[in-house]
Amino acid sequence: MKRQAAAGVDGETWRHYGGMHDPVPEVGEWLKSVVGGHIRYFGVPGNRYALAHFRLTVSRLWHHVLQRRSQKGRVPWERMQRLIRKWLPPAHIYHPYPSRRLRVTT
């Protein structure tokens, strides 16, 4: 289950992107597009908790990567929460229920 939740941003994606040593704003922009696209695609009614879990999993992976950037420097969770609020879009339902979407009035 955990593997499916963060299938879009796993360890292989981080290695492919090479963002471990990039500046935080650059990685934040990339994650914003990845998480935003995921939320827009899967933002259907009844899927809000899964979207929130995906965002949380991505933020934990990002925190782990930031922790490994230095031997001494640790990123406190308070700072990480500020980065999450700034860069990762919140879970949002973009698509309406099918009964509303397919309603035809003639």
Side-chain angles (χ1 to χ4, degrees), residues 61-79:
L61 285 170
W62 191 17
H63 185 239
H64 179 74
V65 167
L66 290 177
Q67 293 279 65
R68 294 182 51 90
R69 284 169 63 156
S70 171
Q71 291 180 1
K72 297 179 188 175
R74 296 289 178 225
V75 180
W77 188 246
E78 293 79 25
R79 180 169 188 265

Side-chain angles (χ1 to χ4, degrees), residues 13-78:
T13 305
W14 283 104
R15 276 189 231 99
H16 174 69
Y17 171 70
M20 182 170 181
H21 302 291
D22 290 343
V24 172
E26 190 175 319
V27 178
E29 281 291 329
W30 175 69
L31 285 175
K32 185 178 189 178
S33 69
V34 169
V35 173
H38 184 87
I39 289 174
R40 282 189 297 277
Y41 186 81
F42 292 103
V44 296
N47 204 21
R48 193 183 77 192
Y49 293 114
L51 295 174
H53 180 70
F54 178 79
R55 181 178 183 252
L56 177 66
T57 305
V58 169
S59 62
R60 285 181 179 164
L61 285 170
W62 191 17
H63 185 239
H64 179 74
V65 167
L66 290 177
Q67 293 279 65
R68 294 182 51 90
R69 284 169 63 156
S70 171
Q71 291 180 1
K72 297 179 188 175
R74 296 289 178 225
V75 180
W77 188 246
E78 293 79 25

